[in-house]
Amino acid sequence: MFRPYTEKEKAKLAEKYTPAQRAVIDVGEEAVTNKHLAYQASARQNHWSLKYYDDLSKIDPVVDHPVRAPYSNTDPNLRLKTDDDLDEDLANFIRNLPENEDSPEADEAWTEFDKKLRLTVGKEEGERNPRSAAAPDLFRPGEANLDGKILRLPSTESKGRTEEAPPALLRLMQMTGFTREQIIALRVKSIVDHRVVNQTRLGKIGKMYYLSVAGNGNGLLGIGEGKSEEPGEARLQSQYRAIRNMQPILRYEGRTIFGDVKGKVSATELELYARPPGFGLRCQQYIWEICKCAGIADLAARVTRSRNPMNTVKATVEALLSQKDPEEIARARGKKMVDVRKVYYAGLV
Amino acid sequence: MSLVLLANTCSHLQNASKARLGLTSIPSTSLHLRLALALQNAGFLSTVVRGGQAPPPPHLLLNHPTPNNEAAEIEPVTQENVASRRLWLGMKYWNSEPVIEKMQMVSKPTRRIWMDTEGLSTLVLGRQSGYVKGLRRPGECLFVTTDKGVMEARECVEKKIGGMLLCRVY
């Protein structure tokens, strides 16, 4: 029902789509009928129809995609020009000078050059209209050079090598959306293992128990338990469960926790304490492993009462998950909150 | 100034939070009133209204009791009704979580703790001062009764006044 493509259009389409994609597009376009178009063009009548009129095919710059003024003039990559850069500027100026050097145009060109000469390389507003050093700008998440400090969730696309993966791994990949490479890149540790026995009337049935912890070293953390007659199988089971259970935890400045938190599982009670940069992990082995997986670098911990390894691990994860976001607390109380450290270091902490 | 009533109030507010109550009442004393206003100032409570045994009627537009409700004026406190007066507090919740998670006494009825500005500033910085633990949780507040009224520990440090520690709230 559409006008057929001309040869010119076909050639253009061939640049963008593979023959297979073209075939699909052709079939799709053939399937569209007048009825569909009429239905699409009319207003929706069903339950989800909008209560007001809006042409959703157009983007309203005010409502849909507000164009905002730049957040800050500050450019993290701003640097002073070297002597060579300045020489280059001067050479450019001389090259573009009018022929008659005493003419008023030449004078004007010089004034212009003198006025517009920049001493730094980078964002122009950063030099012309900088913020006071006493109250530097805050950066937006993407603006500053904070490589690796922002929590990045894995992309859901998977590619390559899926055929060769063993079934258990394949299922894990399907469940989590991680690729095989991403799973390999995770930090996974089995930290508790022992033999467990079930006494039946036929005798003792022994199995191996494993407790594993997994994390991406950047804010994702999960634990998993596995039990099987085969140690290798139990270990793998626990590790895959740990990967599957991974969830984001709050981290202050990507290195420590927000305030002190408590965790309790059974008779194991523990306290985790936030610590300043460079403090390191001063805690017992199990908590240390968990912090390594989660990407926490500064922390102290005290396990009061029972120190059962399994419960310690569980209580630590519980404590880390029980952290509260100060922003949320501030919103709940209707207060404005400013992280003074962030302001002092201009968001570069 | 009995602290026993205050201890009861702390427990009561915790319980009311756990039960997700929207409005609750505490005995009306001058200390309670000043503390409730300080809590409201810090954002822990939505409303503080003085009323009788029954909750005051809600405001026509706001739908909760307010102290300046023209439709239902607050009964002035007299010698006859003073014993039956109660403070009606509006509890706050955010993301299905209570804003007052915990409210604990620092001074006890049998052991009151006074602290000067220096001690308070140590607490506010998150360090222990005497037997009192510092404020180390995000958003933790300590309320202090001073001769300038009940206020938050940080405000006390700002104004350089000390006082008796009442309770910590987070």
Side-chain angles (χ1 to χ4, degrees), chain B residues 3-78:
Chain B
L3 286 187
V4 177
L5 274 182
L6 192 63
N8 289 342
T9 299
C10 286
S11 311
H12 178 70
L13 287 184
Q14 281 189 99
N15 293 341
S17 283
K18 279 179 185 159
R20 300 290 192 276
L21 298 187
L23 193 68
T24 187
S25 73
I26 57 172
S28 175
T29 68
S30 59
L31 178 66
H32 278 161
L33 179 65
R34 277 180 284 143
L35 177 66
L37 291 174
L39 282 170
Q40 189 189 27
N41 208 18
F44 287 104
L45 298 175
S46 56
T47 53
V48 179
V49 185
R50 204 203 294 268
Q53 296 294 323
H59 190 274
L60 268 179
L61 300 175
L62 300 170
N63 219 12
H64 58 72
T66 52
N68 54 355
N69 192 351
E70 282 172 15
E73 292 288 336
I74 291 170
E75 205 179 318
V77 184
T78 58

Side-chain angles (χ1 to χ4, degrees), chain A residues 259-260 274 324 328 332-333 335, chain B residues 41 44 94-95 101 136 138-139:
Chain A
D260 297 351
K324 276 197 165 179
E328 286 291 301
R333 294 187 195 164
K335 294 275 170 190
Chain B
N41 208 18
F44 287 104
W94 178 255
N95 287 347
E101 194 186 318
R136 292 199 52 92

Side-chain angles (χ1 to χ4, degrees), chain A residues 169-272:
Chain A
L169 180 58
L170 196 61
R171 268 190 44 220
L172 177 71
M173 283 156 66
Q174 285 163 349
M175 268 191 272
T176 56
F178 289 124
T179 63
R180 200 170 182 169
E181 287 74 25
Q182 283 169 328
I183 289 177
I184 289 167
L186 294 174
R187 188 187 168 102
V188 187
K189 276 254 172 165
S190 295
I191 47 180
V192 182
D193 62 304
H194 50 76
R195 209 176 98 88
V196 291
V197 179
N198 182 19
Q199 178 76 53
T200 68
R201 65 196 169 86
L202 299 172
K204 288 176 178 163
I205 300 173
K207 286 185 179 176
M208 280 303 287
Y209 167 89
Y210 278 91
L211 176 62
S212 297
V213 51
N216 66 348
N218 201 7
L220 278 182
L221 179 71
I223 53 168
E225 293 171 300
K227 204 157 54 167
S228 169
E229 280 163 19
E230 289 300 318
E233 201 181 298
R235 189 192 178 94
L236 216 57
Q237 200 182 49
S238 70
Q239 293 190 341
Y240 287 176
R241 279 180 185 165
I243 293 171
R244 214 175 64 192
N245 291 339
M246 285 201 307
Q247 48 184 319
I249 58 156
L250 282 176
R251 290 180 307 160
Y252 178 60
E253 292 175 359
R255 55 168 189 87
T256 187
I257 53 173
F258 284 98
D260 297 351
V261 281
K262 286 178 185 168
K264 179 179 182 293
V265 169
S266 187
T268 301
E269 284 180 28
L270 49 79
E271 282 164 35
L272 306 180

Side-chain angles (χ1 to χ4, degrees), chain A residues 328 331-332, chain B residues 20 93-99:
Chain A
E328 286 291 301
R331 289 194 70 183
Chain B
R20 300 290 192 276
Y93 302 91
W94 178 255
N95 287 347
S96 326
E97 289 290 321
V99 173

Side-chain angles (χ1 to χ4, degrees), chain A residues 303-314:
Chain A
V303 185
T304 54
R305 296 188 63 197
S306 163
R307 290 187 194 154
N308 177 297
M310 286 160 64
N311 287 340
T312 307
V313 172
K314 288 173 191 171

